[in-house]
Amino acid sequence: MDRANGSLFSGFILLGFSNRPQLETALFVVILVIYFLSFVGNTTIILLSVVDSHLHTPMYFFLSNLSFMDLCLTTCTVPQTLFNFKGKDKTITYGGCVTQLFIALGLGGVECVLLSVMAYDRYAAVCRPLHYMVIMHPQLCLQLVITAWLTGFGNSVVQTALTMTLPLCGRNQLDHFFCEIPVMLKLACTNTFINEAELFAVSVFFLVVPLSLILVSYGHITHAVLKIKSAQGRRKAFGTCGSHLLVVIIFFGTLISMYLQPPSSYSQDVNKSIALFYTLVTPLLNPLIYTLRNKEVKSALRRIMGRAKD
């Protein structure tokens, strides 16, 4: 029901790129291909982390959680986007919009916390190698992952409730291809200053704080690596951490550019491009970066392929 006037409210119209039908056709093919590659890549990492005993380490436990989260994120948004791009019906039910907003926001929060946990794991591995398995024991790893998931979805419950109870006054056209908080705030027919201020504060907590912790961890890592006398040892240490840092830069860069500015100042075209990037491209880059730049994953893949041939 529309909270403003009590009239029947069945759902929203996702405009996407409907003003550019030729672009939608091209994007449909591109998104479908990227979604397939992302699905295969992240599923491969999860299976390798479970099947290969050499990857039963804290790093790959966290990485498999990251891949599972990326699978959920793309599956939450991409099928609806493809459906809207292909057909004339561009609607999403109210319940579908709430569910999509809740899941996407929750997964975004989980990834923010999880990436900071992975940075701490790399800090322990590089700066405290002799005590690494004592520090990152299985029970602590499980507790850190559970904390990441509970924190992300706990925040999502609050944010979704605050956003979806705003009065819309019959407005139902979202200039986007999935339900997202900044777009919903622009649709509201009331003053959203409090919501915007609260969203900014939460964004600082989930973006700036984890990013600061990650940068501090990598500051210590860099300092420790530079003390290594062996050039090969330095390359190995930087190579292990470089892939994670690249993921961090891509992920936090896109989200900070979107959430740490008032929704009223958003350019919708830029907003949609950024959203496409972090919901589609980032989940594809994660497995590519970790597999192509990581000898352990490639070795595990060769071992599994060798068993299959035998």
Side-chain angles (χ1 to χ4, degrees):
M1 297 289 281
D2 188 315
R3 274 84 53 201
N5 55 23
S7 60
L8 288 175
F9 186 84
S10 58
F12 298 94
I13 299 173
L14 297 170
L15 298 178
F17 296 97
S18 56
N19 59 332
R20 303 173 187 174
Q22 292 180 338
L23 179 60
E24 283 195 339
T25 303
L27 280 175
F28 177 88
V29 177
V30 173
I31 291 174
L32 183 61
V33 171
I34 294 177
Y35 177 57
F36 174 76
L37 294 175
S38 175
F39 184 87
V40 172
N42 284 295
T43 302
T44 300
I45 287 181
I46 294 171
L47 292 177
L48 288 176
S49 299
V50 172
V51 174
D52 195 289
S53 59
H54 295 84
L55 301 184
H56 291 175
T57 63
M59 175 180 173
Y60 292 102
F61 175 66
F62 297 135
L63 179 56
S64 61
N65 271 271
L66 181 65
S67 292
F68 176 71
M69 191 219 66
D70 284 337
L71 277 177
C72 294
L73 179 60
T74 53
T75 303
C76 167
T77 58
V78 172
Q80 179 71 48
T81 301
L82 292 175
F83 177 79
N84 289 348
F85 280 3
K86 189 64 176 176
K88 294 182 179 180
D89 184 8
K90 300 183 181 297
T91 59
I92 182 173
T93 64
Y94 181 82
C97 188
V98 172
T99 302
Q100 193 177 69
L101 179 65
F102 170 73
I103 295 176
L105 187 63
L107 292 172
V110 172
E111 183 158 359
C112 290
V113 179
L114 189 58
L115 287 174
S116 62
V117 169
M118 293 175 72
Y120 176 72
D121 171 69
R122 291 300 85 206
Y123 161 77
V126 175
C127 300
R128 305 286 298 278
L130 299 179
H131 303 90
Y132 175 66
M133 294 310 298
V134 176
I135 297 172
M136 301 302 296
H137 56 84
Q139 187 177 359
L140 176 62
C141 293
L142 182 60
Q143 289 172 347
L144 289 173
V145 167
I146 291 174
T147 300
W149 283 87
L150 290 179
T151 304
F153 278 95
N155 169 66
S156 184
V157 169
V158 177
Q159 297 300 319
T160 303
L162 289 175
T163 302
M164 299 308 292
T165 52
L166 288 171
L168 304 178
C169 303
R171 302 174 184 174
N172 70 338
Q173 292 190 348
L174 295 175
D175 191 10
H176 214 307
F177 48 86
F178 70 95
C179 296
E180 195 176 36
I181 286 184
V183 185
M184 299 300 298
L185 292 181
K186 291 190 73 172
L187 196 66
C189 60
T190 186
N191 192 321
T192 59
F193 174 78
I194 294 177
N195 296 77
E196 292 184 19
E198 190 269 341
L199 178 62
F200 180 84
V202 170
S203 299
V204 169
F205 177 78
F206 276 95
L207 295 175
V208 178
V209 173
L211 181 58
S212 300
L213 293 175
I214 291 170
L215 293 178
V216 169
S217 296
Y218 275 95
H220 287 290
I221 290 172
T222 302
H223 182 69
V225 169
L226 291 176
K227 290 183 177 180
I228 299 176
K229 295 181 179 180
S230 168
Q232 184 179 358
R234 286 197 299 270
R235 283 196 300 269
K236 183 178 179 181
F238 277 126
T240 302
C241 301
S243 57
H244 177 221
L245 192 56
L246 184 58
V247 170
V248 166
I249 293 171
I250 293 171
F251 179 75
F252 281 95
T254 54
L255 287 185
I256 286 175
S257 65
M258 176 176 290
Y259 282 95
L260 291 185
Q261 61 172 309
S264 55
S265 67
Y266 288 166
S267 164
Q268 278 308 108
D269 286 339
V270 173
N271 185 24
K272 284 184 271 192
S273 299
I274 293 174
L276 266 179
F277 195 88
Y278 81 78
T279 59
L280 194 66
V281 179
T282 303
L284 172 65
L285 290 178
N286 286 347
L288 289 178
I289 289 170
Y290 279 107
T291 54
L292 294 180
R293 294 179 59 85
N294 195 304
K295 293 181 180 179
E296 291 176 331
V297 174
K298 289 187 283 188
S299 297
L301 188 58
R302 282 194 293 267
R303 284 191 292 270
I304 298 298
M305 296 298 289
R307 293 176 197 171
K309 290 179 181 179
D310 295 337

